[in-house]
Amino acid sequence: MFGLIKTWKALEARGIMGINRRNADYVLKYNKRHLYPIVDDKIITKERALAAGIHVPEMYGIIETEKEIEKLDKIIGGRNDFVIKPAQGAGGDGILVIADRFEDRYRTVSGKIISHEEIEHQVSSILTGLYSLGGHRDRALIEYRVTPDQIFKSISYEGVPDIRIIVLMGYPVMAMLRLPTRQSGGKANLHQGAIGVGVDLATGVTLRGTWLNNIISKHPDTTNAVDGVQLPNWDGFMKLAAGCYELCGLGYIGVDMVLDQERGPLILELNARPGLNIQIANDCGLTQRTHAIEAHIEALAKDGVTEDAEQRVRVAQGLFGHVHPG
Ligand SMILES: Nc1ncnc2c1ncn2[C@@H]1O[C@H](COP(=O)(O)OP(=O)(O)O)[C@@H](O)[C@H]1O
Ligand SMILES: [Mg+2]
């Protein structure tokens, strides 16, 4: 079931981007510091997205102070499922996905039963900055729980898979589907133990996956194949991701999206320092792709031309699409 992964060194020959190059040539070059709060704070991202008419999971409420924790019951209302997360969290840490009630307690998406006091404690930890970037005081955000589209039933275990697309100056350059596993507790973050699966930009068909540094073609929990799966509404996801450039103004971002059973494609969050493992999931380096986009933009600039989201998607699909898993 497991093949040994190619080392980063082997990928380097194919234009792999390392962390120093990413930071110097992309994050620092394309992302203006004063714009960081738009993506580093999920509440601000949501407000921006709503203003731009982009769909996001509905926000039920915000808790900013210890005193406000008493509002929690009212914010949750009669709902049986919801999500609590740190506004400035990352990597899936501190996120509580509540799937159901059980008597006077709650059941998390991975089946753990927790009390109201435990939830309050979690909110309090969020406020103190336990999960926030840099350990600063943070806000807790309570939002709609996404129910994944049926298409993901066979290839996912609990939780919500998400689709990550790296976008350079509005041009998608690489995509990955992330699938929660038993180990990742319903979250789609790779370092929590989720699987990363490459996606063909032109077709939305999945390539092979990587899990805990192994190449895999089957989901370890469901044993179903993760490659060769056609993701629905692929061009819609590509356009949504490309349009996030106008939304936030940052030139190098990772756009995380989900497909909700009822509400369709939603933006979950934007990342100003997207991880590099997407290259392993795609068995392909980022550098050659980012260089191709930079050359494309430079050529357009000579003629004073810019392209809209739809055109940018078509350019990316023409340049990077139709890869064959090898
Ligand atoms: N509203 C939600 N409904 C269901 N699952 C969610 C929701 N928000 C987050 N998750 C799960 O948690 C993971 C991490 O959430 P995200 O908002 O991307 O925060 P982080 O910055 O910590 O990655 C997602 O990939 C998803 O699997
Ligand atoms: Mg995320």
Side-chain angles (χ1 to χ4, degrees):
M1 176 178 172
F2 298 129
L4 207 65
I5 205 144
K6 285 191 181 122
T7 60
W8 286 83
K9 240 198 164 69
L11 277 165
E12 221 161 57
R14 306 184 56 182
I16 191 179
M17 189 187 292
I19 197 141
N20 293 333
R21 179 182 290 272
R22 181 201 66 178
N23 291 345
D25 293 355
Y26 295 92
V27 176
L28 283 171
K29 179 168 173 197
Y30 289 105
N31 295 343
K32 294 198 187 80
R33 271 224 88 74
H34 76 276
L35 297 174
Y36 272 56
I38 299 171
V39 299
D40 282 348
D41 188 305
K42 293 183 170 72
I43 296 170
I44 302 176
T45 310
K46 245 188 225 301
E47 289 164 351
R48 280 284 183 130
L50 288 172
I54 289 177
H55 296 188
V56 291
E58 182 193 341
M59 185 150 66
Y60 297 148
I62 301 170
I63 294 180
E64 298 196 28
T65 62
E66 308 290 331
K67 179 82 177 63
E68 286 178 4
I69 295 178
E70 64 190 36
K71 289 199 317 193
L72 188 60
D73 249 344
K74 210 169 144 216
I75 292 172
I76 295 168
R79 297 182 184 95
N80 292 332
D81 64 334
F82 54 89
V83 172
I84 299 182
K85 64 170 83 165
Q88 299 181 49
D93 288 336
I95 299 181
L96 203 53
V97 182
I98 301 294
D100 206 356
R101 290 187 193 248
F102 176 73
E103 299 186 343
D104 56 356
R105 289 162 185 256
Y106 297 94
R107 194 195 307 273
T108 71
V109 69
S110 41
K112 203 172 153 208
I113 304 291
I114 58 173
S115 67
H116 201 274
E117 289 68 40
E118 283 172 285
I119 293 188
E120 286 184 351
H121 183 77
Q122 175 77 7
V123 172
S124 172
S125 301
I126 289 173
L127 298 181
T128 62
L130 189 60
Y131 308 107
S132 75
L133 301 157
H136 302 296
R137 262 193 78 80
D138 198 4
R139 299 185 283 176
L141 149 68
I142 298 97
E143 70 178 12
Y144 170 81
R145 178 174 76 108
V146 172
T147 310
D149 190 277
Q150 290 292 345
I151 176 93
F152 296 117
K153 269 258 150 62
S154 69
I155 52 167
S156 179
Y157 183 85
E158 291 168 354
V160 183
D162 67 18
I163 293 165
R164 150 77 54 98
I165 301 184
I166 306 258
V167 180
L168 175 62
M169 295 304 285
Y171 292 82
V173 290
M174 202 173 273
M176 152 172 82
L177 171 71
R178 298 185 299 186
L179 302 167
T181 61
R182 183 191 295 266
Q183 181 167 335
S184 77
K187 289 170 216 161
N189 301 84
L190 298 188
H191 91 248
Q192 306 269 359
I195 300 173
V197 185
V199 182
D200 186 303
L201 288 187
T203 60
V205 172
T206 59
L207 311 168
R208 281 185 316 187
T210 63
W211 186 50
L212 307 174
N213 282 337
N214 292 291
I215 290 175
I216 54 162
S217 56
K218 287 180 183 162
H219 193 293
D221 302 317
T222 68
T223 71
N224 289 316
V226 296
D227 54 355
V229 177
Q230 172 69 62
L231 300 180
N233 200 359
W234 181 245
D235 284 359
F237 280 110
M238 288 285 280
K239 225 182 296 168
L240 197 56
C244 284
Y245 174 51
E246 279 82 8
L247 166 84
C248 70
L250 290 146
Y252 188 72
I253 49 172
V255 178
D256 291 356
M257 296 160 289
V258 290
L259 186 58
D260 185 70
Q261 212 169 50
E262 279 166 22
R263 318 213 172 168
L266 305 173
I267 296 277
L268 204 52
E269 66 154 340
L270 307 176
N271 290 278
R273 309 159 200 81
L276 296 160
N277 273 319
I278 191 169
Q279 301 174 106
I280 298 180
N282 281 275
D283 195 19
C284 176
L286 272 165
T287 310
Q288 66 200 46
R289 295 194 177 189
T290 50
H291 282 171
I293 291 299
E294 287 172 313
H296 176 79
I297 293 172
E298 209 174 15
L300 285 183
K302 285 206 179 92
D303 303 326
V305 176
T306 55
E307 295 177 309
D308 66 18
E310 208 156 315
Q311 293 168 316
R312 299 195 300 257
V313 167
R314 257 178 279 133
V315 167
Q317 291 181 322
L319 285 171
F320 313 128
H322 301 292
V323 292
H324 298 285

